[in-house]
Structure formats: C-alpha cells, structure tokens
Amino acid sequence: MKIVPIFADRLYAFHYEDERDNEYERLMDLWTDVEYLYNFARLNNKADVQAFVADILDQTETLQDFLDNLYQNNVPYRRYFSALNPAESKNPDLPLQKGKIRKDWLRLYAVKIDNDCFVITGGAIKMSQAMQDHPDTNKELGKMRAARIFLRQNGVFDDDSFFEFLSEEI
C-alpha cells in the first residue's frame, strides 16, 4: 500500500498494490465508465437505467469540481467529509469518514488524519442505508478499517506522524 497526494498536503489516497491507479483516480475512471454504470444499474435493479447513468456521470463531474474548488479556495476538506457514524465523531484517533454532496449516490470514504487532512480509502455508489447491506459498501467498510489499522501500525496518529511516515516512504 502506498499513499499518494491528490490535492497538495490536504487530500491523499491509498494506492493498493493490486490496482493500476490510486483510489481517487480509480473511482473517477469507474464512475465515468458508461458501460460499467449500465451494468451496475442493471445489477442493482434500477428502473430507469439511462437516467441513473446520467445522474452518476453528472454527480462525478460535480464531485470533482467541488473537491477542486475546496482546494483552489483553501476551504477545509472537512466541509466535504464527516464522521461515518456517531461513534466515529468521538474517536480522536484516525476517525473513519464519509464524503457526500447533498443526496447524491456517490461516496468517498477516508481516514481523517487531522482537521484538514484526509486519506481516501475507497468509495462506492451508495445503494443501501447501511453499509453492511450492500456488497460494495460493505467491502469499502472493510477497506476503511484495514487502512486505519495500517496507519496505526506505521505509527500514524496525527498530521505530524503522518507526514513523517510519508517522508520515510520516499
């Protein structure tokens, strides 16, 4: 596992060994792949497949623009990310986070390093209320937990230890 920067020193993503791209790039490619989206809609019994695909394509563009705007205007990424659940909001040590815009389908999942530093662990098109109720989001929950364990095992517990870890990885 590697960690790569997405937006300077504030937003990072895991790059898993078995993947060609880091998680942010992988998801943006996946969520703009029309064939994948059509298959996903059919597998998830979406009544209006074309409308679903159009929504996801639009939401992906909106998400990319939103994150870029946060970076360009030096707005904290905590405006996008929030605690995955109430228990995580009380966890001072690398809380798990979800990112969403309005009531969109798309979710980015991350570990919060500090107030404005996050590492994306993955993402999904959210199809169920609880993450455990859909195989895609349940898989992402496992990736988030594994990422937090990886960070802890490498001595990461805040932004100083995170940046020290990154400097040792080079």
Side-chain angles (χ1 to χ4, degrees), residues 4 9 16 22 28 36 50 63 66 88 93 105 145:
V4 297
D9 289 335
Y16 300 109
N22 68 66
M28 294 305 115
Y36 167 81
Q50 286 186 319
L63 174 58
F66 185 80
E88 288 298 328
D93 185 22
W105 301 89
R145 290 175 175 156

Side-chain angles (χ1 to χ4, degrees), residues 82-98 110 112 132 141 144-145 148 152:
S82 62
L84 184 63
N85 59 49
E88 288 298 328
S89 64
K90 297 174 184 145
N91 184 351
D93 185 22
L94 304 175
L96 303 180
Q97 304 281 294
K98 65 182 174 193
K112 180 180 177 183
Q132 298 85 345
L141 183 58
M144 292 172 71
R145 290 175 175 156
R148 179 165 55 188
R152 286 177 176 163

Side-chain angles (χ1 to χ4, degrees), residues 125-165:
I125 300 172
K126 184 118 188 292
M127 300 301 295
S128 63
Q129 186 65 25
M131 289 184 79
Q132 298 85 345
D133 293 343
H134 192 277
D136 292 348
T137 49
N138 193 40
K139 177 183 175 186
E140 294 304 320
L141 183 58
K143 287 169 53 179
M144 292 172 71
R145 290 175 175 156
R148 179 165 55 188
I149 289 168
F150 171 82
L151 290 167
R152 286 177 176 163
Q153 288 175 339
N154 283 282
V156 175
F157 57 90
D158 64 5
D159 61 336
D160 288 336
S161 58
F162 177 70
F163 292 116
E164 184 177 318
F165 169 72

Side-chain angles (χ1 to χ4, degrees), residues 2-16:
K2 288 185 352 185
I3 297 173
V4 297
I6 303 300
F7 289 106
D9 289 335
R10 298 171 38 212
L11 188 61
Y12 293 82
F14 274 96
H15 187 169
Y16 300 109

Side-chain angles (χ1 to χ4, degrees), residues 99-129:
K100 68 178 185 172
I101 300 174
R102 299 181 308 273
K103 297 207 182 273
D104 286 356
W105 301 89
L106 303 181
R107 300 290 186 275
L108 289 178
Y109 299 109
V111 175
K112 180 180 177 183
I113 303 298
D114 210 345
N115 278 334
D116 194 28
C117 185
F118 298 84
V119 183
I120 296 169
T121 62
I125 300 172
K126 184 118 188 292
M127 300 301 295
S128 63
Q129 186 65 25

